[in-house]
Amino acid sequence: MNDQASAAAGADTATPTSPDNRQIRAGFIGLGDQGKGMADRLIACGVPTTLWARRAESLEPFRGSAASFANTPAELGSGCDVVGICVVDDAGVQEVVLGDSGVLSGMSPGAVLAIHSTISLEVCHRIARAAGEVGVGVIDAPVSGGGFAAAEGKLTVLVGGEAEHYEKCRPELETFGGNVIHLGPLGSGLIAKLVNNTLHAAHYALARDAMVAGTRLGLDEQALGRALSVSSGNSFSLNTAVAVGGFDVLAPMVGPLLRKDIGIFDRLAAECGAPTGSLIAVADEALQLFGYPRDQTDAEERT
């Protein structure tokens, strides 16, 4: 299996093991649209999996499954080799990892924390420093693809971190990842995900402009959408908009998260002096289109 991009389709037939051929024990926190599918895959692939959620109703779909349930994040961490975190933002990740009864307080030396959330590099490194003090490894492993891809084991997993920690987590990552890519040291996965999401947003703006231009020139909107989706101008963003019924329907689904991620990317690029050309400006057009613009202070922080 390719170390850089490993396929996970059909993984149900073999229980994942660690590099020393010992069955891994996984914990997972963050059972939203994407996280639920990831946890489902872990369980379906025979990984002993423990779950915790802030809201009891998030655990209901797993009642009757092979999953175990913890009363606190710390309790979850105490019985796991690898713990995946897939909550929304910096604050949420810090709360479940570093807070009172946080998962890190229960994890044993040698265990690894996999952060699937798209967060700032600052918070990622802060968590890694705290984890290092107790002998716990950390990888950043944000995912791309959405809930359907998660349920089918076809997510793209973008990994940053030490090779040793990556290898320990890889069997678990391959249960839900059709493409698991180790990009480099800690933070590399997050950088790749932020670039991807900003480009993804920019594609929405361009796709919308293309659709408006085509319809103003007399084309039927639905017919144009179908035509573009099978032509060279196709994009994942266009396909998503067409599939859900248009940009207005799509806006509340993607607007808040894209606004968060573009803001993180914009600040990071400014701090590092990285040129972004028209990328951020066009991505901001998408946020305006969706009705989720970044506020003026946030958008001007890089100037």
Side-chain angles (χ1 to χ4, degrees), residues 71-129:
N71 292 314
T72 65
E75 181 184 316
L76 179 146
S78 67
C80 297
D81 304 301
V82 175
V83 175
I85 305 295
C86 196
V87 298
V88 172
D89 54 18
D90 282 4
V93 173
Q94 291 183 97
E95 179 184 350
V96 299
V97 175
L98 302 176
D100 294 339
S101 297
V103 67
L104 186 59
S105 67
M107 295 178 75
S108 301
V112 181
L113 183 69
I115 302 175
H116 301 299
S117 311
T118 306
I119 59 173
S120 67
L121 268 70
E122 178 186 1
V123 168
C124 179
H125 286 287
R126 181 181 305 153
I127 290 171
R129 288 192 295 270

Side-chain angles (χ1 to χ4, degrees), residues 199-204 207 235-242 247 250:
L199 180 60
H200 178 47
H203 283 170
Y204 278 128
S235 68
F236 181 86
S237 303
L238 173 65
N239 284 344
T240 302
V242 171
F247 292 90
L250 186 66

Side-chain angles (χ1 to χ4, degrees), residues 33-34 143-150 154-156 193 196-197 236 240:
D33 179 47
Q34 213 158 217
V143 295
S144 180
F148 290 118
K154 296 179 180 179
L155 286 172
T156 293
K193 177 65 184 296
N196 175 79
N197 279 14
F236 181 86
T240 302

Side-chain angles (χ1 to χ4, degrees), residues 203 206-207 210-211 224-225 227-239:
H203 283 170
L206 293 172
M211 293 294 292
L224 177 59
L228 292 177
S229 69
V230 292
S231 301
S232 59
N234 183 35
S235 68
F236 181 86
S237 303
L238 173 65
N239 284 344

